[in-house]
Amino acid sequence: MKSTLYALFFCLLLVAPASAQTNPPQETALSRFLRYAKIDTQSKEDQTTVPSTAKQLDLAKLLASELNALGAKNVSISEFGIVYAQIPGNLADNSKVPVVGFIAHMDTSPSVSGANVNVIIHKNYQGGDIVLPKDTTQIITVEKNPDLRDMIGDDIITADGTTLLGSDDKAGCAEILTMIDTLRQNPQIKHGTIAVAFTPDEEVGGGIEKFDVKTFGAKFAYTVDGEALGEVNEETWSASTATVTFKGKSTHPGTARGVMINSMYAVADYLSRFPKDMLPETTEGRVGFVHPYVGTIDVEESSVKILLRDFDVSGLKAKEALLREMVEKTGRQFPDVKIDIKVEENYKNMKEVLKDFPQLTANAMEAARRSGLKPFIKPIRGGTDGADLTFRGLPCPNLFTGGHNFHGKLEFNSRRGLEKSTETLVHLLEIFAGTSTGR
Ligand SMILES: [Zn+2]
């Protein structure tokens, strides 16, 4: 009897090579995403509390309960609405493998409504532009979204044209939960301890300041908050903000002769000095910019705020020097206006730290390859929560979610986008555990 069983076992091994099967998760990433997309979690600028909007807690509670249902340990929601959890490893000795973390954010951008999101699944996409049904002026064109060419036969996921989709970053939330679900269905997939967190207020800044790196307990982490399949980010801007103030003198215009100093003309002069080839509207790729983005003008006092962005600290310093030089030039034209410039550092390019952890990017690229994708590295013309964490001792590159056109009504993802992103997370854990079931 015993020998028959052995024979049968070996037969099975022969017929079903190690390649074999991964059992599907209990619930697909798409199905989870649809549930999360229905919950309005829009964050709000300039609030004194974290989370900036209480409604983000609705999703936090749901994710916490789903984590519990999937067997996660130490599930908690902090006073700031951050969801933390751990998934125990299944190795003989989990302490031999680093605790790897995955982080996604729950809020959606304040720039477009995230209430009553009506998700539309365009099944078996056959090419061509996608017109969103509730506002037919909203069209996802192949010209502006060439990735669509690689998505024939996929199910494209959009909103109806009146709201954003919220794939940024509910796709990340759904993918992380589905990763956990997949591991649960497949104990043969070996992995170390996993830390998971879902954060509020990524879009307005401030949420990550409340993140407790120690509670989280990971050695490395990945934000799952990126875009097209295969895109890995290990670089962000180095960023500063300048505030330039112009002080004049106000007086009654009827008796102003020889007394009034109108600061507004100095502002106009200053703005006219911005180099046209160094602005957000004229640069792309690795080229940085200066960007006057808001200001107030008045006779007595005016001010302008300017974003400075560059991938290299030296480039950022050069931009600061340029703004100061412009202040001097305008000052010479308007000697009676007192001009003052203050420059504040916002965040630094996380590559400064991540260059010492090349295996994080390399492992992510390998995991994407094992999922049948062509990975590539792209610098982010922006910041990430991971950049902040990276400088606080938790190195944290950013991984793709399959999403496109974040923060707008043309946002989209796809069924394959969600599935392949999830699959990549699973492979990544196997790589860190130094094993592979060869799937
Ligand atoms: Zn995001």
Side-chain angles (χ1 to χ4, degrees):
M1 184 63 190
K2 211 171 184 186
S3 62
T4 328
L5 270 178
Y6 271 125
L8 191 66
F9 179 66
F10 279 115
C11 269
L12 275 174
L13 272 185
L14 287 176
V15 202
S19 71
Q21 299 290 335
T22 309
N23 298 317
Q26 267 181 339
E27 185 180 12
T28 64
L30 174 57
S31 161
R32 284 195 169 86
F33 173 72
L34 294 176
R35 183 162 62 248
Y36 308 155
K38 284 201 185 85
I39 302 170
D40 178 9
T41 57
Q42 190 179 39
S43 51
K44 205 169 172 188
E45 300 274 7
D46 299 323
Q47 302 301 300
T48 50
T49 56
V50 177
S52 61
T53 53
K55 57 193 176 184
Q56 293 179 62
L57 296 172
D58 297 342
L59 182 55
K61 285 176 201 149
L62 177 68
L63 293 173
S65 78
E66 292 188 11
L67 281 164
N68 274 319
L70 287 171
K73 301 285 179 245
N74 306 323
V75 180
S76 69
I77 304 178
S78 82
E79 58 178 313
F80 304 109
I82 302 173
V83 182
Y84 299 97
Q86 291 208 326
I87 316 300
N90 60 3
L91 300 167
D93 184 357
N94 290 307
S95 67
K96 291 231 166 84
V97 167
V99 176
V100 178
F102 294 101
I103 301 167
H105 67 89
M106 299 178 286
D107 63 318
T108 62
S109 168
S111 56
V112 179
S113 171
N116 305 312
V117 173
N118 177 18
V119 178
I120 311 236
I121 301 174
H122 308 258
K123 287 220 159 157
N124 191 16
Y125 172 67
Q126 289 300 308
D129 296 349
I130 300 172
V131 181
L132 300 183
K134 280 273 178 66
D135 177 355
T136 52
T137 65
Q138 300 291 336
I139 303 169
I140 303 171
T141 64
V142 176
E143 194 195 340
K144 290 215 170 123
N145 300 278
D147 282 350
L148 281 174
R149 294 204 177 94
D150 301 325
M151 298 172 83
I152 307 296
D154 200 348
D155 301 333
I156 313 278
I157 309 163
T158 70
D160 64 10
T162 61
T163 65
L164 48 63
L165 174 64
S167 169
D168 174 18
D169 187 21
K170 288 165 185 166
C173 299
E175 289 157 5
I176 292 171
L177 261 300
T178 311
M179 167 196 84
I180 299 167
D181 185 352
T182 305
L183 295 175
R184 197 171 154 84
Q185 304 303 321
N186 293 276
Q188 79 279 12
I189 299 176
K190 297 299 172 196
H191 61 88
T193 305
I194 307 163
V196 168
F198 299 111
T199 58
D201 286 349
E202 191 270 351
E203 302 290 2
V204 295
I208 206 65
E209 285 167 25
K210 310 295 185 190
F211 191 92
D212 188 339
V213 173
K214 220 170 145 207
T215 300
F216 188 54
K219 182 142 192 234
F220 312 112
Y222 294 86
T223 46
V224 185
D225 188 22
E227 302 186 37
L229 283 180
E231 181 181 325
V232 178
N233 314 110
E234 54 171 13
E235 275 201 83
T236 54
W237 286 135
S238 283
S240 303
T241 307
T243 308
V244 186
T245 50
F246 304 78
K247 278 193 185 130
K249 193 176 177 55
S250 183
T251 182
H252 190 285
T255 54
R257 188 186 162 108
V259 181
M260 182 189 282
I261 302 163
N262 192 337
S263 76
M264 289 156 68
Y265 296 111
V267 175
D269 179 85
Y270 189 70
L271 290 178
S272 73
R273 294 176 188 277
F274 276 78
K276 303 286 173 286
D277 58 353
M278 208 190 276
L279 306 176
E281 56 268 46
T282 57
T283 53
E284 61 182 344
R286 290 193 60 87
V287 184
F289 60 68
V290 285
H291 175 44
Y293 70 102
V294 70
T296 56
I297 49 171
D298 213 319
V299 174
E300 177 91 10
E301 184 170 330
S302 303
S303 72
V304 182
K305 284 192 164 214
I306 303 146
L307 302 181
L308 295 79
R309 299 289 186 264
D310 205 288
F311 288 107
D312 298 310
V313 172
S314 61
L316 195 67
K317 288 284 164 216
K319 288 182 174 59
E320 181 178 336
L322 173 76
L323 294 186
R324 290 184 185 279
E325 194 186 306
M326 286 160 52
V327 163
E328 272 172 35
K329 284 186 178 159
T330 297
R332 282 201 284 279
Q333 293 294 316
F334 297 87
D336 296 332
V337 179
K338 190 175 173 293
I339 312 175
D340 184 47
I341 176 167
K342 278 203 180 72
V343 181
E344 226 183 302
E345 183 188 296
N346 301 124
Y347 54 88
K348 281 190 289 192
N349 186 345
M350 62 181 170
K351 183 71 185 273
E352 278 187 40
V353 175
L354 293 182
K355 66 175 170 13
D356 299 328
F357 299 92
Q359 76 276 20
L360 298 186
T361 305
N363 287 357
M365 308 271 286
E366 175 58 20
R369 255 177 241 120
R370 288 187 191 181
S371 305
L373 302 171
K374 285 200 189 93
F376 59 99
I377 297 176
K378 195 173 161 186
I380 304 179
R381 289 173 68 85
T384 66
D385 275 355
D388 186 277
L389 296 174
T390 296
F391 285 99
R392 283 163 61 192
L394 182 64
C396 193
N398 188 39
L399 297 179
F400 53 89
T401 61
H404 295 77
N405 298 341
F406 288 3
H407 303 185
K409 294 175 183 172
L410 301 180
E411 190 182 8
F412 69 97
N413 202 322
S414 73
R415 181 187 38 74
R416 182 169 177 270
L418 296 171
E419 287 172 359
K420 283 290 166 186
S421 300
T422 304
E423 196 184 327
T424 300
L425 300 184
V426 174
H427 282 305
L428 186 51
L429 286 165
E430 281 184 307
I431 292 168
F432 273 102
T435 64
S436 170
T437 52
R439 291 169 309 120

mmCIF file of all heavy atoms in Angstrom, residues 181-220:
data_model
loop_
_atom_site.group_PDB
_atom_site.id
_atom_site.type_symbol
_atom_site.label_atom_id
_atom_site.label_comp_id
_atom_site.label_asym_id
_atom_site.label_seq_id
_atom_site.Cartn_x
_atom_site.Cartn_y
_atom_site.Cartn_z
ATOM 1 N N ASP A 181 -3.965 36.682 0.114
ATOM 2 C CA ASP A 181 -4.946 35.647 -0.189
ATOM 3 C C ASP A 181 -4.274 34.513 -0.988
ATOM 4 O O ASP A 181 -4.432 33.317 -0.678
ATOM 5 C CB ASP A 181 -6.082 36.314 -0.996
ATOM 6 C CG ASP A 181 -7.236 35.380 -1.290
ATOM 7 O OD1 ASP A 181 -7.118 34.173 -1.014
ATOM 8 O OD2 ASP A 181 -8.261 35.863 -1.819
ATOM 9 N N THR A 182 -3.479 34.886 -1.982
ATOM 10 C CA THR A 182 -2.782 33.901 -2.826
ATOM 11 C C THR A 182 -1.826 33.047 -1.985
ATOM 12 O O THR A 182 -1.770 31.817 -2.137
ATOM 13 C CB THR A 182 -1.994 34.611 -3.954
ATOM 14 O OG1 THR A 182 -2.892 35.446 -4.690
ATOM 15 C CG2 THR A 182 -1.340 33.609 -4.896
ATOM 16 N N LEU A 183 -1.104 33.700 -1.076
ATOM 17 C CA LEU A 183 -0.171 32.955 -0.214
ATOM 18 C C LEU A 183 -0.926 31.960 0.660
ATOM 19 O O LEU A 183 -0.484 30.840 0.903
ATOM 20 C CB LEU A 183 0.635 33.924 0.663
ATOM 21 C CG LEU A 183 1.574 34.871 -0.089
ATOM 22 C CD1 LEU A 183 2.209 35.855 0.883
ATOM 23 C CD2 LEU A 183 2.643 34.091 -0.855
ATOM 24 N N ARG A 184 -2.093 32.381 1.132
ATOM 25 C CA ARG A 184 -2.908 31.535 2.001
ATOM 26 C C ARG A 184 -3.397 30.285 1.274
ATOM 27 O O ARG A 184 -3.474 29.197 1.861
ATOM 28 C CB ARG A 184 -4.097 32.377 2.468
ATOM 29 C CG ARG A 184 -4.842 31.861 3.655
ATOM 30 C CD ARG A 184 -5.826 32.958 4.061
ATOM 31 N NE ARG A 184 -6.988 32.429 4.755
ATOM 32 C CZ ARG A 184 -7.003 32.181 6.045
ATOM 33 N NH1 ARG A 184 -5.940 32.402 6.769
ATOM 34 N NH2 ARG A 184 -8.094 31.709 6.607
ATOM 35 N N GLN A 185 -3.693 30.452 -0.010
ATOM 36 C CA GLN A 185 -4.178 29.317 -0.807
ATOM 37 C C GLN A 185 -3.034 28.419 -1.278
ATOM 38 O O GLN A 185 -3.274 27.367 -1.869
ATOM 39 C CB GLN A 185 -4.942 29.809 -2.048
ATOM 40 C CG GLN A 185 -6.116 30.745 -1.771
ATOM 41 C CD GLN A 185 -7.128 30.119 -0.844
ATOM 42 O OE1 GLN A 185 -7.405 28.916 -0.942
ATOM 43 N NE2 GLN A 185 -7.663 30.910 0.064
ATOM 44 N N ASN A 186 -1.787 28.906 -1.083
ATOM 45 C CA ASN A 186 -0.636 28.190 -1.647
ATOM 46 C C ASN A 186 0.502 28.083 -0.642
ATOM 47 O O ASN A 186 1.529 28.737 -0.775
ATOM 48 C CB ASN A 186 -0.136 28.919 -2.905
ATOM 49 C CG ASN A 186 -1.137 28.875 -4.041
ATOM 50 O OD1 ASN A 186 -1.188 27.902 -4.790
ATOM 51 N ND2 ASN A 186 -1.947 29.921 -4.155
ATOM 52 N N PRO A 187 0.312 27.236 0.377
ATOM 53 C CA PRO A 187 1.362 27.129 1.401
ATOM 54 C C PRO A 187 2.698 26.656 0.834
ATOM 55 O O PRO A 187 3.729 26.799 1.486
ATOM 56 C CB PRO A 187 0.780 26.122 2.404
ATOM 57 C CG PRO A 187 -0.373 25.486 1.725
ATOM 58 C CD PRO A 187 -0.862 26.414 0.671
ATOM 59 N N GLN A 188 2.685 26.111 -0.383
ATOM 60 C CA GLN A 188 3.966 25.687 -0.982
ATOM 61 C C GLN A 188 4.824 26.879 -1.379
ATOM 62 O O GLN A 188 6.017 26.729 -1.628
ATOM 63 C CB GLN A 188 3.694 24.774 -2.200
ATOM 64 C CG GLN A 188 3.301 25.475 -3.497
ATOM 65 C CD GLN A 188 1.819 25.877 -3.562
ATOM 66 O OE1 GLN A 188 1.105 25.835 -2.562
ATOM 67 N NE2 GLN A 188 1.360 26.279 -4.741
ATOM 68 N N ILE A 189 4.235 28.063 -1.451
ATOM 69 C CA ILE A 189 5.025 29.265 -1.764
ATOM 70 C C ILE A 189 5.665 29.746 -0.467
ATOM 71 O O ILE A 189 4.976 30.105 0.487
ATOM 72 C CB ILE A 189 4.137 30.379 -2.359
ATOM 73 C CG1 ILE A 189 3.494 29.895 -3.662
ATOM 74 C CG2 ILE A 189 4.960 31.636 -2.600
ATOM 75 C CD1 ILE A 189 2.529 30.887 -4.271
ATOM 76 N N LYS A 190 6.991 29.714 -0.459
ATOM 77 C CA LYS A 190 7.702 30.021 0.791
ATOM 78 C C LYS A 190 8.020 31.509 0.873
ATOM 79 O O LYS A 190 8.438 32.120 -0.109
ATOM 80 C CB LYS A 190 8.997 29.193 0.874
ATOM 81 C CG LYS A 190 8.733 27.694 0.931
ATOM 82 C CD LYS A 190 7.920 27.324 2.165
ATOM 83 C CE LYS A 190 7.494 25.855 2.133
ATOM 84 N NZ LYS A 190 6.419 25.586 3.102
ATOM 85 N N HIS A 191 7.838 32.062 2.042
ATOM 86 C CA HIS A 191 8.113 33.493 2.235
ATOM 87 C C HIS A 191 8.431 33.771 3.697
ATOM 88 O O HIS A 191 8.009 33.039 4.595
ATOM 89 C CB HIS A 191 6.897 34.329 1.804
ATOM 90 C CG HIS A 191 5.663 34.014 2.593
ATOM 91 N ND1 HIS A 191 5.364 34.651 3.773
ATOM 92 C CD2 HIS A 191 4.670 33.108 2.388
ATOM 93 C CE1 HIS A 191 4.222 34.158 4.243
ATOM 94 N NE2 HIS A 191 3.782 33.210 3.424
ATOM 95 N N GLY A 192 9.173 34.853 3.916
ATOM 96 C CA GLY A 192 9.452 35.284 5.281
ATOM 97 C C GLY A 192 8.282 36.102 5.816
ATOM 98 O O GLY A 192 7.220 36.177 5.198
ATOM 99 N N THR A 193 8.493 36.716 6.965
ATOM 100 C CA THR A 193 7.455 37.544 7.566
ATOM 101 C C THR A 193 7.210 38.770 6.684
ATOM 102 O O THR A 193 8.149 39.364 6.152
ATOM 103 C CB THR A 193 7.891 37.992 8.973
ATOM 104 O OG1 THR A 193 8.201 36.815 9.721
ATOM 105 C CG2 THR A 193 6.800 38.781 9.670
ATOM 106 N N ILE A 194 5.939 39.122 6.547
ATOM 107 C CA ILE A 194 5.564 40.257 5.697
ATOM 108 C C ILE A 194 4.907 41.322 6.570
ATOM 109 O O ILE A 194 4.061 41.008 7.409
ATOM 110 C CB ILE A 194 4.543 39.817 4.622
ATOM 111 C CG1 ILE A 194 5.061 38.607 3.844
ATOM 112 C CG2 ILE A 194 4.226 40.974 3.675
ATOM 113 C CD1 ILE A 194 3.964 37.881 3.079
ATOM 114 N N ALA A 195 5.315 42.573 6.368
ATOM 115 C CA ALA A 195 4.638 43.690 7.035
ATOM 116 C C ALA A 195 3.769 44.400 5.999
ATOM 117 O O ALA A 195 4.172 44.539 4.846
ATOM 118 C CB ALA A 195 5.661 44.655 7.616
ATOM 119 N N VAL A 196 2.584 44.796 6.427
ATOM 120 C CA VAL A 196 1.656 45.464 5.505
ATOM 121 C C VAL A 196 1.156 46.744 6.163
ATOM 122 O O VAL A 196 0.922 46.766 7.378
ATOM 123 C CB VAL A 196 0.461 44.528 5.193
ATOM 124 C CG1 VAL A 196 -0.654 45.266 4.481
ATOM 125 C CG2 VAL A 196 0.919 43.342 4.352
ATOM 126 N N ALA A 197 1.040 47.809 5.383
ATOM 127 C CA ALA A 197 0.425 49.029 5.921
ATOM 128 C C ALA A 197 -0.393 49.720 4.843
ATOM 129 O O ALA A 197 -0.029 49.712 3.664
ATOM 130 C CB ALA A 197 1.479 49.986 6.466
ATOM 131 N N PHE A 198 -1.517 50.284 5.274
ATOM 132 C CA PHE A 198 -2.335 51.127 4.395
ATOM 133 C C PHE A 198 -2.407 52.502 5.043
ATOM 134 O O PHE A 198 -2.746 52.621 6.223
ATOM 135 C CB PHE A 198 -3.717 50.514 4.211
ATOM 136 C CG PHE A 198 -3.660 49.151 3.579
ATOM 137 C CD1 PHE A 198 -3.982 48.015 4.312
ATOM 138 C CD2 PHE A 198 -3.247 49.003 2.264
ATOM 139 C CE1 PHE A 198 -3.901 46.750 3.740
ATOM 140 C CE2 PHE A 198 -3.159 47.741 1.677
ATOM 141 C CZ PHE A 198 -3.489 46.614 2.417
ATOM 142 N N THR A 199 -2.059 53.531 4.267
ATOM 143 C CA THR A 199 -1.884 54.864 4.847
ATOM 144 C C THR A 199 -2.909 55.860 4.304
ATOM 145 O O THR A 199 -3.346 55.749 3.160
ATOM 146 C CB THR A 199 -0.470 55.396 4.539
ATOM 147 O OG1 THR A 199 -0.289 55.422 3.118
ATOM 148 C CG2 THR A 199 0.593 54.517 5.160
ATOM 149 N N PRO A 200 -3.261 56.863 5.115
ATOM 150 C CA PRO A 200 -4.138 57.942 4.654
ATOM 151 C C PRO A 200 -3.305 59.120 4.137
ATOM 152 O O PRO A 200 -2.095 59.184 4.342
ATOM 153 C CB PRO A 200 -4.857 58.339 5.939
ATOM 154 C CG PRO A 200 -3.831 58.117 7.008
ATOM 155 C CD PRO A 200 -3.003 56.940 6.555
ATOM 156 N N ASP A 201 -3.964 60.037 3.459
ATOM 157 C CA ASP A 201 -3.393 61.374 3.182
ATOM 158 C C ASP A 201 -2.078 61.378 2.418
ATOM 159 O O ASP A 201 -1.275 62.286 2.589
ATOM 160 C CB ASP A 201 -3.209 62.145 4.502
ATOM 161 C CG ASP A 201 -4.536 62.639 5.059
ATOM 162 O OD1 ASP A 201 -5.545 62.565 4.323
ATOM 163 O OD2 ASP A 201 -4.570 63.090 6.211
ATOM 164 N N GLU A 202 -1.885 60.397 1.551
ATOM 165 C CA GLU A 202 -0.675 60.435 0.716
ATOM 166 C C GLU A 202 -0.758 61.608 -0.246
ATOM 167 O O GLU A 202 0.237 62.273 -0.534
ATOM 168 C CB GLU A 202 -0.529 59.119 -0.051
ATOM 169 C CG GLU A 202 0.819 58.942 -0.738
ATOM 170 C CD GLU A 202 0.875 59.468 -2.165
ATOM 171 O OE1 GLU A 202 -0.176 59.832 -2.735
ATOM 172 O OE2 GLU A 202 1.978 59.542 -2.712
ATOM 173 N N GLU A 203 -1.952 61.847 -0.756
ATOM 174 C CA GLU A 203 -2.108 62.853 -1.821
ATOM 175 C C GLU A 203 -1.941 64.279 -1.312
ATOM 176 O O GLU A 203 -1.684 65.187 -2.092
ATOM 177 C CB GLU A 203 -3.488 62.705 -2.490
ATOM 178 C CG GLU A 203 -3.751 61.333 -3.091
ATOM 179 C CD GLU A 203 -2.911 61.055 -4.335
ATOM 180 O OE1 GLU A 203 -2.092 61.919 -4.708
ATOM 181 O OE2 GLU A 203 -3.069 59.976 -4.911
ATOM 182 N N VAL A 204 -2.137 64.484 -0.023
ATOM 183 C CA VAL A 204 -2.021 65.847 0.514
ATOM 184 C C VAL A 204 -0.786 65.989 1.404
ATOM 185 O O VAL A 204 -0.528 67.061 1.949
ATOM 186 C CB VAL A 204 -3.294 66.242 1.310
ATOM 187 C CG1 VAL A 204 -4.488 66.310 0.379
ATOM 188 C CG2 VAL A 204 -3.567 65.287 2.451
ATOM 189 N N GLY A 205 -0.012 64.923 1.519
ATOM 190 C CA GLY A 205 1.164 64.946 2.390
ATOM 191 C C GLY A 205 0.714 64.917 3.836
ATOM 192 O O GLY A 205 -0.433 65.219 4.148
ATOM 193 N N GLY A 206 1.568 64.529 4.701
ATOM 194 C CA GLY A 206 1.210 64.576 6.125
ATOM 195 C C GLY A 206 0.884 63.235 6.720
ATOM 196 O O GLY A 206 1.144 63.007 7.902
ATOM 197 N N GLY A 207 0.313 62.316 5.932
ATOM 198 C CA GLY A 207 -0.029 60.999 6.465
ATOM 199 C C GLY A 207 1.220 60.218 6.856
ATOM 200 O O GLY A 207 1.275 59.607 7.920
ATOM 201 N N ILE A 208 2.214 60.295 6.006
ATOM 202 C CA ILE A 208 3.402 59.461 6.223
ATOM 203 C C ILE A 208 4.216 59.931 7.430
ATOM 204 O O ILE A 208 4.945 59.146 8.034
ATOM 205 C CB ILE A 208 4.258 59.395 4.935
ATOM 206 C CG1 ILE A 208 5.084 58.114 4.913
ATOM 207 C CG2 ILE A 208 5.155 60.620 4.768
ATOM 208 C CD1 ILE A 208 4.275 56.845 4.827
ATOM 209 N N GLU A 209 4.074 61.212 7.794
ATOM 210 C CA GLU A 209 4.789 61.702 8.987
ATOM 211 C C GLU A 209 4.371 60.928 10.226
ATOM 212 O O GLU A 209 5.122 60.796 11.185
ATOM 213 C CB GLU A 209 4.456 63.178 9.232
ATOM 214 C CG GLU A 209 5.154 64.119 8.279
ATOM 215 C CD GLU A 209 4.570 65.517 8.341
ATOM 216 O OE1 GLU A 209 4.001 65.876 9.400
ATOM 217 O OE2 GLU A 209 4.673 66.218 7.328
ATOM 218 N N LYS A 210 3.126 60.437 10.199
ATOM 219 C CA LYS A 210 2.602 59.712 11.359
ATOM 220 C C LYS A 210 2.930 58.227 11.311
ATOM 221 O O LYS A 210 2.502 57.460 12.163
ATOM 222 C CB LYS A 210 1.078 59.879 11.439
ATOM 223 C CG LYS A 210 0.604 61.326 11.341
ATOM 224 C CD LYS A 210 1.075 62.144 12.521
ATOM 225 C CE LYS A 210 0.505 63.552 12.485
ATOM 226 N NZ LYS A 210 1.138 64.424 13.472
ATOM 227 N N PHE A 211 3.618 57.819 10.259
ATOM 228 C CA PHE A 211 3.935 56.402 10.081
ATOM 229 C C PHE A 211 4.990 55.966 11.085
ATOM 230 O O PHE A 211 6.036 56.589 11.221
ATOM 231 C CB PHE A 211 4.437 56.171 8.657
ATOM 232 C CG PHE A 211 4.555 54.730 8.257
ATOM 233 C CD1 PHE A 211 3.487 54.103 7.631
ATOM 234 C CD2 PHE A 211 5.708 53.993 8.500
ATOM 235 C CE1 PHE A 211 3.580 52.774 7.244
ATOM 236 C CE2 PHE A 211 5.813 52.661 8.127
ATOM 237 C CZ PHE A 211 4.733 52.060 7.492
ATOM 238 N N ASP A 212 4.711 54.878 11.775
ATOM 239 C CA ASP A 212 5.624 54.388 12.802
ATOM 240 C C ASP A 212 6.472 53.250 12.223
ATOM 241 O O ASP A 212 6.019 52.104 12.119
ATOM 242 C CB ASP A 212 4.804 53.902 14.005
ATOM 243 C CG ASP A 212 5.698 53.551 15.186
ATOM 244 O OD1 ASP A 212 6.907 53.296 14.971
ATOM 245 O OD2 ASP A 212 5.190 53.529 16.317
ATOM 246 N N VAL A 213 7.688 53.589 11.828
ATOM 247 C CA VAL A 213 8.569 52.620 11.173
ATOM 248 C C VAL A 213 8.836 51.419 12.083
ATOM 249 O O VAL A 213 8.898 50.276 11.636
ATOM 250 C CB VAL A 213 9.897 53.307 10.756
ATOM 251 C CG1 VAL A 213 10.908 52.299 10.235
ATOM 252 C CG2 VAL A 213 9.636 54.370 9.682
ATOM 253 N N LYS A 214 8.910 51.690 13.393
ATOM 254 C CA LYS A 214 9.207 50.618 14.343
ATOM 255 C C LYS A 214 8.036 49.635 14.468
ATOM 256 O O LYS A 214 8.215 48.419 14.418
ATOM 257 C CB LYS A 214 9.524 51.219 15.711
ATOM 258 C CG LYS A 214 10.657 50.510 16.388
ATOM 259 C CD LYS A 214 11.133 51.226 17.627
ATOM 260 C CE LYS A 214 11.545 50.183 18.642
ATOM 261 N NZ LYS A 214 11.423 50.665 20.005
ATOM 262 N N THR A 215 6.827 50.159 14.631
ATOM 263 C CA THR A 215 5.636 49.309 14.688
ATOM 264 C C THR A 215 5.536 48.453 13.427
ATOM 265 O O THR A 215 5.194 47.273 13.472
ATOM 266 C CB THR A 215 4.351 50.165 14.785
ATOM 267 O OG1 THR A 215 4.426 50.936 15.971
ATOM 268 C CG2 THR A 215 3.100 49.303 14.811
ATOM 269 N N PHE A 216 5.818 49.076 12.305
ATOM 270 C CA PHE A 216 5.714 48.391 11.011
ATOM 271 C C PHE A 216 6.628 47.168 11.006
ATOM 272 O O PHE A 216 6.216 46.078 10.613
ATOM 273 C CB PHE A 216 6.077 49.380 9.910
ATOM 274 C CG PHE A 216 5.826 48.887 8.519
ATOM 275 C CD1 PHE A 216 4.576 48.399 8.144
ATOM 276 C CD2 PHE A 216 6.826 48.935 7.549
ATOM 277 C CE1 PHE A 216 4.334 47.962 6.850
ATOM 278 C CE2 PHE A 216 6.601 48.508 6.251
ATOM 279 C CZ PHE A 216 5.354 48.015 5.907
ATOM 280 N N GLY A 217 7.860 47.355 11.458
ATOM 281 C CA GLY A 217 8.739 46.212 11.701
ATOM 282 C C GLY A 217 9.436 45.613 10.494
ATOM 283 O O GLY A 217 9.972 44.518 10.578
ATOM 284 N N ALA A 218 9.435 46.312 9.365
ATOM 285 C CA ALA A 218 10.086 45.758 8.176
ATOM 286 C C ALA A 218 11.514 46.283 8.045
ATOM 287 O O ALA A 218 11.853 47.340 8.568
ATOM 288 C CB ALA A 218 9.303 46.116 6.925
ATOM 289 N N LYS A 219 12.323 45.500 7.336
ATOM 290 C CA LYS A 219 13.693 45.948 7.070
ATOM 291 C C LYS A 219 13.727 46.764 5.780
ATOM 292 O O LYS A 219 14.449 47.750 5.656
ATOM 293 C CB LYS A 219 14.584 44.704 6.943
ATOM 294 C CG LYS A 219 16.022 45.037 6.716
ATOM 295 C CD LYS A 219 16.936 44.071 7.474
ATOM 296 C CE LYS A 219 18.367 44.572 7.476
ATOM 297 N NZ LYS A 219 19.309 43.579 6.972
ATOM 298 N N PHE A 220 12.953 46.315 4.798
ATOM 299 C CA PHE A 220 12.786 47.031 3.537
ATOM 300 C C PHE A 220 11.290 47.066 3.235
ATOM 301 O O PHE A 220 10.546 46.241 3.745
ATOM 302 C CB PHE A 220 13.443 46.288 2.366
ATOM 303 C CG PHE A 220 14.835 45.826 2.638
ATOM 304 C CD1 PHE A 220 15.121 44.474 2.747
ATOM 305 C CD2 PHE A 220 15.863 46.748 2.763
ATOM 306 C CE1 PHE A 220 16.417 44.034 2.984
ATOM 307 C CE2 PHE A 220 17.161 46.320 3.003
ATOM 308 C CZ PHE A 220 17.434 44.969 3.121
#
